[in-house]
């Protein structure tokens, strides 16, 4: 196999949405130079501003000094030119959950990035193997799955595709640890571990709501008080994003072929209506 780029100073993050900007923040806080790329300057600027606001809140809470905040922000660079990923020693993709688009992106990253650079995908449920074989370095492609909100959630699932080399798995696990996260290693399988369990639960909550069994507030209250979940499944669906949730449910349904993974029709309707949860201002709840 190609020599792995083990000395990592600059981390590339592709996709400046909720997950991408959160991952970028985690990497910058861990001391890496971070290059964040998305298709428009507006998306990149919005992500950098949101990260700056969150860091400012940490300063206000006394969890970060003003100097540390400035140092973290100075490690970020935004761009709309994916070719700039040539400067990166490790790349994490966090774009939307569309396999064809991800494969195209990995093909491009493979052309742009130095040989030996590991390309990781934050996909929630898609096949790492299928993404990997779109490149000429399938042994250097792995999953690195963060959880929302990335700066808060401690877990990273390190996903081994069929072609992923052991050294790649080790490097991604080490990077997760350097980011201050707790890695678990999982074999490629739809939804890996967390989403295989969590996503059907959120889908089930939407079925309950659709059937009129209880109100959204009471479904969430029931799971918070009856199962000690930090937030209820419908509030969690709003946090994850209903478009992301639907994409994962559809992947589970298609790949595992079982009816128990069928998306609730109400979930489809919400996505069609553009009610995507927190990020669009409305989902099962309204957001300011
Ligand atoms: N970004 C950054 N920080 C955030 C944040 C965000 N979006 N949301 C909350 N925080 C921080 C807050 O600033 C606060 O920090 P301090 O402790 O330093 O003050 C801390 O998190 C706690 O926040 P709050 O007090 O406002 O609210 P909370 O106690 O309810 O915690 C939560 C918020 C951490 C999100 C909590 O509700 C929770 O753990 N929810 C479950 C989250 C979860 O299950 N995520 C996985 C989703 S599935 C997924 O991501 C996989 C996928 O592929 C679909």
């Amino acid at each position: 196999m190609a020599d792995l780029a083990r000395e990592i100073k600059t981390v590339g993050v592709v996709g400046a949405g909720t997950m991408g900007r959160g991952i970028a923040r985690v990497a910058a806080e861990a001391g890496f130079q971070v290059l964040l790329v998305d298709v428009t300057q507006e998306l990149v600027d919005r992500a950098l501003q949101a990260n700056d606001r969150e860091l400012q809140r940490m300063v206000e809470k006394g969890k970060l000094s003003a100097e540390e905040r400035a140092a973290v922000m100075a490690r970020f660079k935004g761009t709309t030119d994916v070719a700039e990923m040539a400067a990166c020693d490790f790349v994490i993709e966090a774009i939307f959950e569309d396999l064809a688009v991800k494969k195209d992106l990995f093909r491009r990253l493979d052309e742009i990035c130095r040989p030996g650079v590991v390309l990781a995908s934050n996909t929630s449920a898609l096949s790492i193997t299928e993404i990997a074989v779109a490149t000429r370095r399938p042994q250097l492609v792995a999953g690195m799955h963060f959880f929302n909100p990335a700066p808060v959630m401690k877990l990273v699932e390190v996903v081994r595709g069929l072609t992923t080399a052991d050294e790649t798995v080790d490097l991604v696990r080490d990077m997760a640890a350097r980011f201050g996260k707790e890695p678990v290693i999982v074999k490629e399988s739809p939804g890996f571990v967390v989403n295989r369990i969590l996503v059907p639960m959120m889908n089930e909550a939407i079925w309950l709501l659709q059937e009129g069994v209880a109100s959204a507030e009471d479904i969430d209250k029931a799971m918070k008080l009856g199962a000690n979940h930090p937030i209820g499944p419908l509030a969690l669906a709003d946090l994850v994003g209903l478009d992301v949730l639907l994409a994962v449910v559809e992947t589970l349904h298609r790949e595992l072929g079982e009816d128990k993974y069928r998306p609730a029709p109400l979930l489809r309707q919400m996505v069609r209506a553009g009610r995507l949860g927190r990020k669009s201002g409305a989902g099962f709840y309204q957001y300011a």
Side-chain angles (χ1 to χ4, degrees), residues 6-147:
R6 290 176 198 278
E7 200 189 325
I8 293 163
K9 293 200 171 103
T10 303
V11 172
V13 178
V14 187
T18 309
M19 291 310 292
R21 81 168 173 82
I23 295 166
R25 189 187 131 187
V26 168
E29 283 187 71
F32 293 95
Q33 298 294 323
V34 178
L35 185 57
L36 180 64
V37 63
D38 210 321
V39 287
T40 70
Q41 194 59 44
E42 195 199 341
L43 288 169
V44 172
D45 289 345
R46 226 193 287 159
L48 295 183
Q49 282 156 14
N51 279 352
D52 197 23
R53 271 198 309 275
E54 278 177 11
L55 292 170
Q56 176 56 29
R57 268 202 295 275
M58 287 179 70
V59 172
E60 284 156 17
K61 287 184 200 160
K63 297 197 163 179
L64 201 72
S65 72
E67 293 73 35
E68 283 164 337
R69 171 197 173 203
V72 172
M73 284 312 293
R75 289 198 280 273
F76 280 122
K77 186 171 171 248
T79 177
T80 55
D81 184 4
V82 74
E84 286 196 39
M85 287 287 142
C88 296
D89 310 308
F90 185 85
V91 177
I92 306 168
E93 164 274 319
I95 65 167
F96 51 93
E97 292 288 271
D98 180 313
L99 188 57
V101 180
K102 284 196 199 269
K103 282 164 72 176
D104 265 356
L105 173 65
F106 272 76
R107 217 171 278 130
R108 282 206 68 196
L109 287 171
D110 183 38
E111 285 161 8
I112 292 163
C113 296
R114 292 194 315 281
V117 168
V118 163
L119 307 177
S121 173
N122 179 55
T123 180
S124 301
L126 296 172
S127 166
I128 295 299
T129 305
E130 195 166 349
I131 294 169
V133 298
T135 73
R136 291 159 307 169
R137 62 180 88 191
Q139 72 281 20
L140 299 184
V141 177
M144 187 174 194
H145 184 216
F146 293 80
F147 294 83

Side-chain angles (χ1 to χ4, degrees), residues 126-193:
L126 296 172
S127 166
I128 295 299
T129 305
E130 195 166 349
I131 294 169
V133 298
T135 73
R136 291 159 307 169
R137 62 180 88 191
Q139 72 281 20
L140 299 184
V141 177
M144 187 174 194
H145 184 216
F146 293 80
F147 294 83
N148 190 0
V152 179
M153 304 299 285
K154 293 300 285 180
L155 183 70
V156 169
E157 287 176 323
V158 177
V159 187
R160 181 198 294 273
L162 203 65
T163 60
T164 313
D166 290 345
E167 291 89 334
T168 303
V169 172
D170 291 346
L171 182 79
V172 176
R173 189 187 50 206
D174 290 351
M175 285 300 284
R178 289 176 71 184
F179 285 177
K181 301 295 181 193
E182 288 286 339
V184 295
I185 301 197
V186 304
K187 269 198 298 198
E188 172 177 320
S189 173
F192 316 128
V193 171

